[in-house]
Amino acid sequence: TWSQMPGARVTAVWRHQADRARAVAEQFALPHACTDFSELAQLDDVDLVVVTTTADLHHPAVMAAITSGKHVLCEKPFAMNAGEAKEMLEAARSCGVHHLVNHEFRVEPAVVEMKRLLDEGFIGNPTYVSLTDFGDFVTSTQSILSRWWFQESRGGGWSAAHGSHRVDELRALFGDIVEVSALLDTALPHPQRSHGTADSEVDDGYFILMHFASGAIGACLDGAASGVQARPTRLEAYGTDGSLVLDGDRLVAARPGEVPREIAVPEAEVPGLEGRADVLHGLWFRQIVDAIRTDTPLRPNFEDGLHEMLVLDACRQSDAERRWIAVTE
């Protein structure tokens, strides 16, 4: 996707194994194949480092890039915990680089339109928020998912992989989350692997109740180990003056006494890219290129990444202690 962005050029790749790094570099005609984070970060023809490693390597990779004066786009989950997230944010601020987190859901046209209507006060003061998303991602891909996906020490699990997205999306739409009560579940404790079974150390589903700073209450119910792929994600928001419901890509608005009406949403398109994931990343990457070239702040950034990790840490603590946990630094 990056190679198809006007104004961007991929110049280097990092892999642990030198032979794999060289193979990728040769495949895509890249001038640099690196096995060390600092080596890549110090290259003169690198302006932006895109960190797509497993979560346990985000901190060292990001710190190497920042201290070399490079801009950074870090994958989600942003870090292993809020402590790492805070260190990365402080370093980025100190070095004055652009620092971004790869939450492409924010640029989805229907989400952008929903946020516009919320910001304009369409539903008044939000009171109730509900997000439900159930499917068979883990069930259907268990034999081909990388081993790290089932390892807690490497940042695996559904709340990390997908909950990070949902926490950021809900916060972008409805403001800070200040308290949570969470249940993390493992419906598939022994995933079928290509060479037998393995033990899962992580969750493949999570339920989060939450309080927002605005006073609204919400619930995020998200599972990836069902037997079938269910209906599209459904995000509902109800307020004092109306409601907004995002059912897949369909956005429906209602006001008291009015018949619910569908809101027109432009189709997401990026020349040369197909498929929802590639198109969303294309939309997001295009914004990143423009922000760096014009030196314009862009979000979600490491501040959002820190809040994401504060919420996820609080969810893990809540699940372990079976109680409400305040989201604080």
Side-chain angles (χ1 to χ4, degrees):
T1 305
W2 276 108
S3 62
Q4 295 170 279
M5 290 297 102
R9 181 168 63 95
V10 181
T11 60
V13 62
W14 172 94
R15 294 295 296 266
H16 258 314
Q17 304 90 342
D19 58 337
R20 293 190 178 184
R22 286 193 297 268
V24 173
E26 291 173 4
Q27 180 182 358
F28 295 98
L30 308 181
H32 307 290
C34 304
T35 58
D36 181 84
F37 295 137
S38 296
E39 176 191 3
L40 186 149
Q42 291 169 14
L43 294 170
D44 291 336
D45 54 354
V46 170
D47 299 305
L48 170 71
V49 175
V50 182
V51 178
T52 60
T53 65
T54 51
D56 57 316
L57 297 179
H58 285 184
H59 183 271
V62 166
M63 295 300 282
I66 289 173
T67 55
S68 296
K70 308 300 186 183
H71 309 299
V72 181
L73 170 64
C74 185
E75 255 300 343
K76 51 77 197 170
F78 180 48
M80 291 294 289
N81 52 59
E84 286 187 353
K86 189 173 183 180
E87 288 181 9
M88 292 190 283
L89 172 58
E90 291 174 348
R93 285 172 170 169
S94 176
C95 294
V97 298
H98 286 271
H99 47 94
L100 302 161
V101 183
N102 199 29
H103 285 304
E104 73 277 5
F105 286 8
R106 286 204 191 195
V107 303
E108 189 166 8
V111 174
V112 172
E113 181 63 15
M114 187 175 193
K115 179 169 174 54
R116 183 186 71 80
L117 291 169
L118 288 167
D119 290 346
E120 289 180 355
F122 182 87
I123 71 170
N125 297 321
T127 50
Y128 309 124
V129 176
S130 171
L131 191 156
T132 54
D133 187 6
F134 297 106
D136 63 349
F137 175 81
V138 177
T139 312
S140 62
T141 64
Q142 57 187 300
S143 64
I144 60 174
L145 281 174
S146 298
R147 179 70 187 98
W148 69 263
W149 203 96
F150 298 102
Q151 296 175 314
E152 183 179 9
S153 62
R154 302 191 68 188
W158 194 239
S159 62
H162 210 242
S164 53
H165 264 319
R166 294 311 185 191
V167 165
D168 181 78
E169 183 179 9
L170 291 171
R171 179 171 175 258
L173 291 170
F174 304 104
D176 282 348
I177 299 165
V178 296
E179 190 178 26
V180 298
S181 176
L183 290 175
L184 309 183
D185 183 65
T186 305
L188 201 67
H190 307 295
Q192 296 292 325
R193 309 294 292 152
S194 56
H195 301 290
T197 61
D199 292 335
S200 176
E201 305 168 356
V202 297
D203 64 272
D204 46 39
Y206 62 88
F207 285 16
I208 308 173
L209 299 178
M210 61 194 74
H211 286 135
F212 292 89
S214 66
I217 60 173
C220 181
L221 314 180
D222 191 355
S226 71
V228 295
Q229 179 62 45
R231 61 169 172 73
T233 302
R234 184 176 177 89
L235 173 57
E236 304 174 62
Y238 300 91
T240 54
D241 297 330
S243 67
L244 290 168
V245 175
L246 180 55
D247 195 359
D249 295 327
R250 182 170 175 262
L251 181 60
V252 176
R255 283 260 175 78
E258 297 179 359
V259 176
R261 58 188 174 89
E262 186 168 350
I263 303 295
V265 175
E267 186 174 348
E269 293 182 329
V270 177
L273 296 179
E274 296 182 1
R276 179 176 179 272
D278 284 347
V279 169
L280 288 184
H281 278 112
L283 291 172
W284 173 224
F285 293 169
R286 194 161 58 191
Q287 290 185 18
I288 293 171
V289 171
D290 291 343
I292 291 175
R293 295 182 70 179
T294 60
D295 195 24
T296 303
L298 184 64
R299 299 183 76 166
N301 59 23
F302 283 14
E303 294 177 32
D304 302 296
L306 172 57
H307 192 90
E308 164 199 323
M309 294 314 305
L310 289 169
V311 173
L312 291 180
D313 282 0
C315 288
R316 296 183 187 115
Q317 183 181 352
S318 174
D319 176 67
E321 300 179 7
R322 290 296 194 268
R323 65 184 182 91
W324 282 89
I325 301 294
V327 178
T328 63
E329 292 190 43

